[in-house]
Amino acid sequence: MCFNKQNHPMMKSMTVVVVGGGVVGFSTAVCIAEALPYCSVTLIADRFTPDTTSDVAAGILICSPFPDIPLEQQQRWFKETIDHLLAIAQSEQASEAGVLLSSGWQIHKELPVDKVPFWSAFVLGFRIMTDRELKRFPDHKFGQAFTTVKCECSNYLPWMEKRFRKAGGQVVKQKVNDLQELSSQGYDVIVNCSGLGAKSLVGDSQVYPVRGQVLKVQAPWLQHFIRDGEGQSYIYPGMHSVTVGGTRQVDDWRLEVDPEDSQDILERCSSLEPSLSRARVLGESVGLRPSRKNVRVEREMVLLGSRQVPVVHNYGHGGWGVSLSWGTALEALGLVRKCLHERPPRARL
């Protein structure tokens, strides 16, 4: 947790703006506001819950590795996130925050390269599935059983916004098309958590959408998650419904629900869990994962107007935004600290 509420000689003498209102944006804003009480922190976004990509996410904590980021760093991000969410899941805030424990199976049609994934030490009770357990999945040769955390962003984002405001944060609904638009505000540091928006906001051509479609169904008898190891098909029981999915359509910008995709999802998931064929569909939704070969968590100096302003980037998490949200927020907080320490406070007239 990033708590540090001691008085600081530069009380509210520095200003930080966070661009982005998804799970990465709010996690980062909360970390900064709670850890740096001498900073005035504003979060700006054009979309908030329930209209963010995070709201579509099933929010189950697992992850695939990014190719060019040290594995130890990715392990730290995952561990910091799951530890943060486990603490919430074990608190009286759990139901309001939408954070719960979830047990189940990840199954594979072929033996995976990593039988023991890099995050296995941080979930609870990770083990290889027994032959008896695998018997119910005849098309699959191998599986992993574990307990992880499910974070329901339709609850978690409003809870995080409340926490941010309690730490003195301000929230502004506004579309930022270009960082130059922020130059007149005189912010000391800009934090870019714009996800897919970074493609236009900072001209990052490495960001691309991976379209995901899910259905919410009423199936209260289902208690365990089932995830196909390729991540194409999954069944995640939650607080109010079961999320079934999904699709991974690269460079597909369509936000409309595709009835053929829905039919395909229900058929695939019913082959894993036949009782789903009796479940009532409550809703369908689409989200565009903000994908990038490697998540970008770094700082750079950007010329805004006549002034060089430090910009801390924290975006490009793909489908792992929830799973790495707190860890990369802490990383971004460390970069913000560096920016502020290297920069004397400007005289305020």
Side-chain angles (χ1 to χ4, degrees):
M1 297 270 179
C2 16
F3 298 115
N4 174 9
K5 279 293 180 188
Q6 299 138 350
N7 284 328
H8 194 283
M10 298 189 297
M11 203 63 173
K12 301 292 182 196
S13 63
M14 304 292 242
T15 58
V16 176
V17 64
V18 177
V19 181
V23 68
V24 173
F26 267 108
S27 298
T28 307
V30 165
C31 271
I32 297 167
E34 290 183 348
L36 307 178
Y38 56 90
C39 281
S40 170
V41 186
T42 303
L43 183 144
I44 297 179
D46 64 327
R47 286 181 298 135
F48 293 93
T49 186
D51 302 316
T52 74
T53 302
S54 302
D55 287 287
V56 182
I60 201 96
L61 261 75
I62 50 168
C63 199
S64 289
F66 292 97
D68 304 316
I69 295 172
L71 209 53
E72 304 75 45
Q73 190 173 19
Q74 298 184 61
Q75 285 177 316
R76 188 177 75 246
W77 290 342
F78 185 89
K79 181 183 188 300
E80 287 168 345
T81 305
I82 198 168
D83 287 353
H84 158 75
L85 290 170
L86 277 170
I88 297 169
Q90 292 156 11
S91 77
E92 60 185 28
Q93 301 279 315
S95 61
E96 188 190 344
V99 181
L100 58 146
L101 293 179
S102 184
S103 302
W105 302 287
Q106 178 166 254
I107 51 178
H108 302 262
K109 288 181 176 165
E110 302 296 335
L111 279 180
V113 179
D114 285 330
K115 290 185 184 176
V116 179
F118 76 91
W119 43 262
S120 60
F122 311 119
V123 296
L124 305 177
F126 181 92
R127 60 180 176 78
I128 305 305
M129 285 171 69
T130 63
D131 290 344
R132 191 172 177 207
E133 285 174 305
L134 274 170
K135 212 169 179 179
R136 64 176 291 191
F137 307 113
D139 294 337
H140 295 76
K141 295 179 180 173
F142 181 82
Q144 299 132 331
F146 53 93
T147 298
T148 187
V149 174
K150 188 175 190 298
C151 174
E152 310 219 331
C153 283
S154 53
N155 282 55
Y156 185 64
L157 286 176
W159 184 81
M160 285 291 273
E161 180 176 343
K162 203 156 95 176
R163 182 166 160 176
F164 176 57
R165 289 181 186 274
K166 190 177 175 186
Q170 297 165 22
V171 177
V172 176
K173 185 174 170 64
Q174 177 192 328
K175 183 164 178 59
V176 181
N177 298 295
D178 190 307
L179 290 183
Q180 295 293 335
E181 293 172 21
L182 301 173
S183 62
S184 61
Q185 306 295 316
Y187 292 112
D188 292 294
V189 182
I190 295 170
V191 186
N192 171 23
C193 302
S194 58
L196 197 55
K199 193 172 184 68
S200 55
L201 185 68
V202 294
D204 188 343
S205 59
Q206 294 182 57
V207 183
Y208 60 94
V210 175
R211 182 180 178 277
Q213 182 166 316
V214 299
L215 293 84
K216 302 273 190 194
V217 302
Q218 193 169 33
W221 59 89
L222 295 182
Q223 302 294 319
H224 292 82
F225 72 79
I226 303 170
R227 180 182 193 270
D228 187 280
E230 287 69 51
Q232 195 73 13
S233 304
Y234 47 81
I235 302 161
Y236 295 135
M239 290 173 74
H240 311 295
S241 60
V242 178
T243 301
V244 297
T247 63
R248 287 185 177 275
Q249 294 150 328
V250 176
D251 279 325
D252 189 333
W253 290 85
R254 289 176 303 141
L255 282 166
E256 307 77 31
V257 169
D258 184 325
E260 286 184 20
D261 283 341
S262 291
Q263 190 58 38
D264 182 48
I265 288 165
L266 285 171
E267 285 173 11
R268 279 188 277 122
C269 290
S270 295
S271 73
L272 297 174
E273 180 55 72
S275 68
L276 274 175
S277 58
R278 299 277 178 96
R280 186 162 70 90
V281 175
L282 301 172
E284 303 158 285
S285 46
V286 173
L288 305 179
R289 302 174 183 93
S291 301
R292 201 174 184 274
K293 186 183 177 189
N294 295 291
V295 64
R296 187 181 186 194
V297 189
E298 61 185 20
R299 61 177 178 148
E300 67 172 337
M301 297 301 291
V302 175
L303 185 65
L304 296 184
S306 59
R307 202 164 63 92
Q308 289 280 347
V309 180
V311 176
V312 172
H313 299 288
N314 183 12
Y315 67 86
H317 297 66
W320 315 120
V322 174
S323 297
L324 301 175
S325 55
W326 197 254
T328 58
L330 288 171
E331 188 93 15
L333 166 64
L335 296 174
V336 169
R337 279 188 200 272
K338 283 181 184 170
C339 295
L340 294 173
H341 288 159
E342 291 169 12
R343 176 182 187 84
R346 298 189 316 284
R348 306 246 178 222
L349 299 178

